[in-house]
Amino acid sequence: MLLFGLVFSLFLTALLFLLRVYFVLNSGSNHPPKTRSHVAVLVVAGSGGHTTEIMRLMESLSAAYTPRHYVIADTDKMSEEKIVAFESSKPQSHTDVQFTINRIPRSREVAQSWSSSVVSTLSALRYSLPLVFRLQPDVVLCNGPGTCVPLCITGLLLRILGIKKVGIVYVESICRVQTLSLTGRILYLVSDYFFVQWSSLRDKYPKAIFLGRIV
Amino acid sequence: MKTVFVTVGSTRFDELIESVTSSEATQVLKFRGYERLVLQVGKGSLLPDADSCAHLSVEAFRFKDSIAEDMKQADLVISHAGAGSCLEALGAGKPLLVVVNDKLMDNHQLELARQLHMDHHLLYCTCSTLTETLKNMDLSVLQPFPPGQPKNFANFLDKALGVK
């Protein structure tokens, strides 16, 4: 009887959790947005081309997107330099913290196998969870490096738990013309705004937003 | 001095360096009025000497923090199919010839080069057709590649998030 109760309550919890996930994933952008003056952004910078692209997007955002929390892989010196150069070019009128740089272990080296990607992504969750829970961003903005996945999943978790409605914005790299990246394919399922930069991808992925080339 | 800049990005592509410095290719380049050949050879095993070509002056290096200056000075860029190199050359407004490494398996980097070729932003060949392409190429058919519009992204996001 006790066992039955336990199984039943577990089943009920799982069912409620799944319902909540379903609700969260489908509520998305249908609600009219409340107006706001500030948006806290978590920006995931990758290496090389990814960082170049995401910094071009950051340059276009207004001062309302404050504070900006950058997440970079701990092996990535180049991105840090680009971020610091960009941030120091902005007017520093406020006394509040306008940006932070946060390092996490790299989750997927180029040409790493899928199975070891899964393991390193899971281990990256250990770092992503405390980081995203602490920063509580309004929006996670990312464009493809493997580190996006654990961070976006954590953002989603915050929403599922009802702690904060974290929006997930994904911009697929300009390099992707016909096929999505692995990260793109995963985050297509959970992102609120999923941008592609070639019409051939919009045709294949109906949820994708196509505004032409944006980087 | 009319300059050709050859770049292989962060990879190695000895076959390209070998083809472009061959006596046939350099002769064609000379004939087309190019006088200087700058080679970024990356991790390749070939690092040609300054006097390795009879027809052109040659400068070769492996890596630099930024190749923006080399791009700027070039009258023609010959590049591997890497997206970063292609976008940098087109962004600098340079005529671009992409040489595909047909020994590499098809990878997603080729997607972009192929599409940009279809849209007439660059020329496209392999090492074995390089000399022929240099001989017959018509750079005037190339269309400029307009820069992206991040402002469209920002406007969309402002509206979606209700940012005032």
Side-chain angles (χ1 to χ4, degrees):
Chain A
M1 195 60 201
L2 186 69
L3 187 69
F4 175 77
L6 196 67
V7 169
F8 182 73
S9 56
L10 270 178
F11 173 76
L12 205 64
T13 314
L15 188 72
L16 283 173
F17 185 76
L18 285 175
L19 267 174
R20 174 72 187 157
V21 171
Y22 178 81
F23 172 75
V24 162
L25 285 181
N26 284 282
S27 64
S29 45
N30 297 334
H31 295 295
K34 57 172 198 256
T35 56
R36 46 185 150 191
S37 55
H38 286 287
V39 178
V41 200
L42 187 82
V43 189
V44 189
S47 53
H50 286 306
T51 305
T52 309
E53 288 194 21
I54 206 103
M55 293 316 288
R56 293 211 49 180
L57 296 175
M58 291 310 293
E59 283 164 22
S60 74
L61 296 179
S62 71
Y65 293 82
T66 306
R68 296 168 293 281
H69 302 292
Y70 297 90
V71 180
I72 60 175
D74 52 9
T75 51
D76 188 3
K77 295 275 173 293
M78 196 92 110
S79 296
E80 183 169 358
E81 283 168 25
K82 282 184 186 164
I83 292 162
V84 171
F86 162 68
E87 285 292 341
S88 45
S89 72
K90 285 185 151 265
Q92 306 286 325
S93 53
H94 298 81
T95 45
D96 323 332
V97 176
Q98 297 200 23
F99 81 101
T100 63
I101 294 181
N102 311 271
R103 290 169 193 80
I104 67 168
R106 191 167 208 178
S107 83
R108 186 168 163 261
E109 294 289 341
V110 177
Q112 196 180 337
S113 80
W114 280 41
S115 52
S116 76
S117 298
V118 171
V119 172
S120 48
T121 299
L122 283 178
S123 87
L125 268 176
R126 285 184 304 150
Y127 300 87
S128 311
L129 280 166
L131 186 68
V132 181
F133 270 78
R134 179 166 56 84
L135 298 174
Q136 300 221 355
D138 296 304
V139 165
V140 179
L141 171 62
C142 57
N143 74 336
T147 26
C148 295
V149 178
L151 291 161
C152 288
I153 289 174
T154 311
L156 190 67
L157 193 65
L158 249 67
R159 209 151 105 188
I160 291 167
L161 297 174
I163 296 172
K164 174 122 191 186
K165 191 173 181 301
V166 181
I168 298 172
V169 179
Y170 184 82
V171 180
E172 185 61 283
S173 164
I174 184 86
C175 306
R176 292 299 181 151
V177 181
Q178 297 289 343
T179 58
L180 291 182
S181 61
L182 175 59
T183 308
R185 271 175 284 158
I186 296 169
L187 294 181
Y188 181 73
L189 305 170
V190 299
S191 54
D192 299 283
Y193 304 102
F194 188 93
F195 293 87
V196 293
Q197 303 194 59
W198 292 96
S199 57
S200 39
L201 280 177
R202 178 210 32 209
D203 297 342
K204 283 180 201 162
Y205 294 91
K207 204 183 96 174
I209 303 158
F210 174 65
L211 304 172
R213 187 183 166 208
I214 53 176
V215 300
Chain B
M1 227 194 304
K2 259 183 102 179
T3 301
V4 180
F5 178 50
V6 181
T7 176
V8 307
S10 56
T11 56
R12 54 180 299 161
F13 194 0
D14 285 338
E15 202 189 349
L16 170 60
I17 302 302
E18 204 178 328
S19 307
V20 81
T21 53
S22 70
S23 104
E24 296 82 26
T26 49
Q27 208 164 343
V28 170
L29 286 173
K30 174 89 181 169
F31 180 74
R32 296 199 69 128
Y34 298 102
E35 297 158 285
R36 186 165 160 256
L37 189 58
V38 181
L39 307 161
Q40 184 262 317
V41 304
K43 293 176 191 153
S45 57
L46 291 175
L47 188 67
D49 294 332
D51 54 358
S52 57
C53 291
H55 310 286
L56 304 166
S57 87
V58 174
E59 294 159 38
F61 63 91
R62 290 194 180 279
F63 293 105
K64 273 185 196 173
D65 282 345
S66 165
I67 54 166
E69 195 53 36
D70 297 290
M71 287 280 187
K72 208 172 117 194
Q73 284 178 10
D75 299 281
L76 170 68
V77 177
I78 299 178
S79 164
H80 75 131
S85 304
C86 292
L87 292 173
E88 190 165 359
L90 294 179
K94 298 299 175 176
L96 173 63
L97 170 60
V98 165
V99 182
V100 177
N101 190 350
D102 46 15
K103 298 215 167 51
L104 282 185
M105 289 226 302
D106 195 281
N107 64 40
H108 78 85
Q109 298 264 326
L110 291 182
E111 262 186 41
L112 182 68
R114 210 173 277 147
Q115 182 67 42
L116 294 171
H117 174 241
M118 283 196 316
D119 296 343
H120 307 290
H121 298 305
L122 54 83
L123 300 172
Y124 198 72
C125 69
T126 60
C127 288
S128 53
T129 58
L130 177 64
T131 303
E132 197 59 27
T133 308
L134 289 173
K135 199 184 283 174
N136 300 323
M137 67 184 179
D138 177 6
L139 298 178
S140 68
V141 302
L142 293 177
Q143 302 284 324
F145 187 57
Q149 300 294 325
K151 206 66 219 158
N152 291 344
F153 166 78
N155 291 342
F156 184 102
L157 213 58
D158 282 352
K159 208 176 275 177
L161 300 175
V163 174
K164 292 233 252 194

